[in-house]
Amino acid sequence: MTDDTLYPVPDAWARHARIDAAKRTALYDAAAADPTRFWLDQAQRLDWLVPPTVADESSFDEGDFGIRWFGDGRLNVAVNCTDRHLASRGGDTALIWEPDDPAGTPRRFTFLELHQHVCRFANVLKDQGVAKGDRVTIYMPMIPEAAFAVLACARIGAIHSVVFGGFSPEALAGRIIDCDSKLVVTADIGRRGGKTIPLKANVDAAAERAPSLETVIVVRTAHDVVPMTSRDIWYDEATALVSDSCPAEPMDAEDPLFILYTSGSTGKPKGVLHTSGGYLLWAALTHEWCFDQRPGDIWWCAADIGWVTGHTYILYGPLANGITTVMYEGLPNWPDASRIWQVIDRHKVTTVFTAPTALRALMKDGDDFVNATDRSSLRLLGTVGEPINPEAWRWYHAVVGEGRCPIIDTWWQTETGGAMIAPMPGATSLKPGSATLPLPGIVPQLVDEKGAVLDGATEGNLVITRSWPGQMRTVWGDHDRFFQTYFTTYPGKYFTGDGCRRDADGYYWITGRVDDVINVSGHRMGTAEVESALVLHPKVAEAAVVGMPHDVKGQGIYAYVTLNAGEAASDDLRQTLRSWVRTEIGPIATPDAIQFAPGLPKTRSGKIMRRILRKIAEGDTSSLGDTSTLADPAVVDDLVANRVA
Ligand code: WTA
């Protein structure tokens, strides 16, 4: 799986990059020598109403636990993304929107136009009574209005909670209730891969379970009229009545910017909270460090704004840096596997940033779909979301980039706000499958199960020992859960949940999650969430879910299901359970394999031994390890015999 071939920095990059090897060393040195000075210097890239005089005031220790950056600074995030560019480049393109349908018409917005749209959306929100600190749920397709809504919240100090448009009404309702949001922004329908998604109808269904919901703003995208209720407002009607200027709310650096729900090992998804100053700095800084973007570049992050990648690298990072950002409504391989490359040609994209799962799917369809396109505008290729297998890396490099574009593999998490371990194109030699080296100011460690620090070339669990500006601040409504989840496994350190190898050159190779989180197509899914959905079905007594290797998705979902007494296993029931989970959570949570199991391997104290279930799902049944502590070792034989291939 590993490939130690070194890809040196191409000459052109070494000569022209903003950060070359010497400058990168200087950044590391400065960050180590005087962190406060270093971070306050970096913070100057933002426009502050009141510049901060303090940097890191965080502690990972139980006694004085808390994450706090630039505590006395004041700024507005939306002002940093639009207003401050108006004088110098108000007429430059800020946002290019590419529709799902290749025959459709792209939309373009200058920084001035973006600014006006954001102000209008902000005024509509204000007219609905939204004020600083209120939570606004955004359940949108990938259309420009989604960007306007997000930035409008930032402008007036409302906290946005974007919920991926692929989530079910049930999942949406849970997220509305958790942060007690009274207003949802949605669209009549969404479009993806030629199919429509009934977003407004989903919101109606969610509203039945979420009584706090008072208002729904509906963006019209189709001619067909969706049924409206007394809660609903058409955005086009509301926006016609408001002005295109709106004062920006002055915010403390530590005022919340957004909540984003993400899956963990246990329980319900948690609301990861990011704040204004530190998050925006980390978004902008990492976007520049890793991607060396400059005015004139056309940047395309092919994620969905429902995930953190979309927040940081479709919107906040590039817009804060004044870079043109592309937003694409559809799928990379629809109508066919050339589509992603055609979009690059159409808009002369200079950097594309996508996920290994997309690359593996495109690779399967063969090189002809790539070779049929030009791609000469590309100078950099990015990847994120899961470990990239060296084969996909080499294909991306050789076929897509024709050998001339460095691959920027960025390791990070919803919790980290932006990239943490990643190359700088003008300074870092690359190895296929390695996210390379920590960014300046980031201090990772590898530790063993007991927390002992492992030095040199080694493999262990990845922790971060010092705070950084983009670190999440809390779990919405449950600060104790934040502390318990991330800072108690290895006291005094932030535990990422990832396993990792470090080679003799100090390069980091993420090996995947070591907790009960599965990474399906670069999307995080908690095994506990899928299990709770399964046991809600009246025929299911018990369920245990683990990850299994999957060619395209990276990991697939393997579910062991014990039925209630008297219920018969069948292929029909398997299908029923699959669609049951889709309805409860969303298509991304659909189990790839369901094995009916009369019993699950449990210890005498009743704990399910997932290690064994993982091995069976992986097809690795020769080394199941010690099963003598099981209450009934015979269940293992049955599981092995009836494994679903
Ligand atoms: C995984 C996505 C290897 C990792 C930004 C992490 C990666 C989880 C990479 C976070 C990468 C993300 N190489 N693994 N370049 N990027 N991961 O919160 O397991 O959706 O913990 O954030 O994805 O997923 P999340």
Side-chain angles (χ1 to χ4, degrees), residues 199-534:
L199 294 175
K200 167 65 168 64
N202 287 353
V203 174
D204 291 344
E208 285 173 23
R209 302 182 187 88
S212 67
L213 183 56
E214 291 168 3
T215 309
V216 179
I217 297 178
V218 187
V219 175
R220 197 190 313 260
T221 70
H223 297 297
D224 308 335
V225 176
V226 293
M228 297 290 270
T229 72
S230 58
R231 258 190 316 267
D232 304 331
I233 294 160
W234 282 114
Y235 180 67
D236 51 3
E237 291 170 8
T239 196
L241 307 173
V242 297
S243 120
D244 61 8
S245 80
C246 169
E249 188 74 30
M251 304 287 280
D252 286 342
E254 284 298 342
D255 279 336
L257 178 63
F258 67 85
I259 300 167
L260 184 56
Y261 286 88
T262 192
S263 297
S265 298
T266 54
K268 296 184 301 173
K270 38 182 185 290
V272 167
L273 185 90
H274 282 288
T275 56
S276 304
Y279 168 80
L280 187 67
L281 177 64
W282 198 235
L285 199 53
T286 54
H287 182 249
E288 183 174 303
W289 280 348
C290 301
F291 300 107
D292 197 283
Q293 300 292 299
R294 329 157 171 229
D297 277 339
I298 310 287
W299 161 260
W300 180 21
C301 167
D304 190 286
I305 55 151
W307 312 113
V308 73
T309 307
H311 283 59
T312 304
Y313 296 116
I314 295 177
L315 298 179
Y316 289 120
L319 292 175
N321 289 340
I323 303 297
T324 307
T325 186
V326 175
M327 183 177 195
Y328 172 45
E329 189 178 33
L331 298 172
N333 55 357
W334 186 85
D336 65 36
S338 276
R339 177 68 163 136
I340 180 171
W341 321 122
Q342 288 163 350
V343 174
I344 287 168
D345 286 349
R346 175 182 267 189
H347 299 296
K348 301 280 173 284
V349 170
T350 50
T351 304
V352 67
F353 188 33
T354 187
T357 186
L359 297 172
R360 286 191 296 264
L362 293 162
M363 202 169 126
K364 274 199 155 182
D365 287 329
D367 297 0
D368 291 352
F369 287 102
V370 188
N371 293 332
T373 61
D374 177 46
R375 287 160 289 109
S376 58
S377 56
L378 284 175
R379 55 187 200 106
L380 208 55
L381 303 169
T383 155
V384 59
E386 49 175 326
I388 180 163
N389 47 313
E391 196 192 355
W393 194 103
R394 285 192 299 264
W395 182 80
Y396 201 19
H397 189 260
V399 179
V400 175
E402 295 171 352
R404 69 174 189 277
C405 308
I407 308 265
I408 306 299
D409 176 3
T410 60
W411 172 83
W412 56 295
Q413 313 179 293
T414 307
E415 293 88 337
T416 72
M420 300 286 281
I421 300 180
M424 293 179 173
T428 318
S429 298
L430 307 172
K431 296 184 188 188
S434 169
T436 74
L437 301 165
L439 292 174
I442 300 305
V443 192
Q445 265 180 2
L446 299 185
V447 296
D448 71 11
E449 297 283 313
K450 297 202 177 68
V453 179
L454 305 167
D455 292 320
T458 186
E459 185 164 342
N461 289 343
L462 178 64
V463 299
I464 312 288
T465 62
R466 259 207 247 139
S467 186
W468 64 98
Q471 184 168 26
M472 72 181 280
R473 300 303 197 256
T474 192
V475 171
W476 179 259
D478 200 345
H479 198 53
D480 188 51
R481 186 173 174 201
F482 177 46
F483 180 72
Q484 295 297 332
T485 306
Y486 301 100
F487 302 93
T488 55
T489 318
Y490 302 110
K493 295 171 185 179
Y494 167 77
F495 179 37
T496 62
D498 278 324
C500 184
R501 181 170 74 82
R502 187 174 47 220
D503 69 17
D505 297 325
Y507 276 50
Y508 287 78
W509 303 73
I510 305 295
T511 52
R513 302 288 304 196
V514 294
D515 56 7
D516 291 321
V517 171
I518 315 181
N519 193 324
V520 187
S521 303
H523 301 318
R524 274 165 72 163
M525 206 18 80
T527 52
E529 278 170 77
V530 185
E531 288 161 6
S532 344
L534 283 166

Side-chain angles (χ1 to χ4, degrees), residues 114-133:
L114 177 62
H115 170 75
Q116 290 167 338
H117 279 289
V118 170
C119 285
R120 272 204 212 95
F121 214 121
N123 283 327
V124 169
L125 292 174
K126 278 178 34 180
D127 284 352
Q128 295 308 317
V130 177
K132 179 176 175 181

Side-chain angles (χ1 to χ4, degrees), residues 164 166-168 553 581-583 585-591:
F164 174 55
F167 277 124
S168 67
K553 298 181 184 179
V581 176
R582 288 173 77 91
T583 316
I585 305 176
I588 55 169
T590 315

Side-chain angles (χ1 to χ4, degrees), residues 4 31 74 80 139 202 263 310 316 337 386 400 406 557 563 570 635 641:
D4 261 337
R74 282 170 80 71
N80 273 276
Y139 182 65
N202 287 353
S263 297
Y316 289 120
E386 49 175 326
V400 175
I557 298 179
L563 297 175
S570 68
V635 297

Side-chain angles (χ1 to χ4, degrees), residues 61-135:
D61 297 322
E62 183 154 21
D64 57 350
F65 175 69
I67 314 297
R68 192 177 154 83
W69 279 85
F70 309 121
D72 59 353
R74 282 170 80 71
L75 81 173
N76 181 279
V77 167
V79 166
N80 273 276
C81 292
T82 62
D83 308 42
R84 72 159 162 162
H85 305 308
L86 297 183
S88 58
R89 56 177 89 122
D92 291 359
T93 305
L95 182 72
I96 300 176
W97 176 76
E98 169 70 24
D100 184 50
D101 179 358
T105 311
R107 295 167 70 189
R108 288 170 166 270
F109 304 87
T110 63
F111 278 97
L112 178 62
E113 288 162 342
L114 177 62
H115 170 75
Q116 290 167 338
H117 279 289
V118 170
C119 285
R120 272 204 212 95
F121 214 121
N123 283 327
V124 169
L125 292 174
K126 278 178 34 180
D127 284 352
Q128 295 308 317
V130 177
K132 179 176 175 181
D134 291 348
R135 278 77 58 207

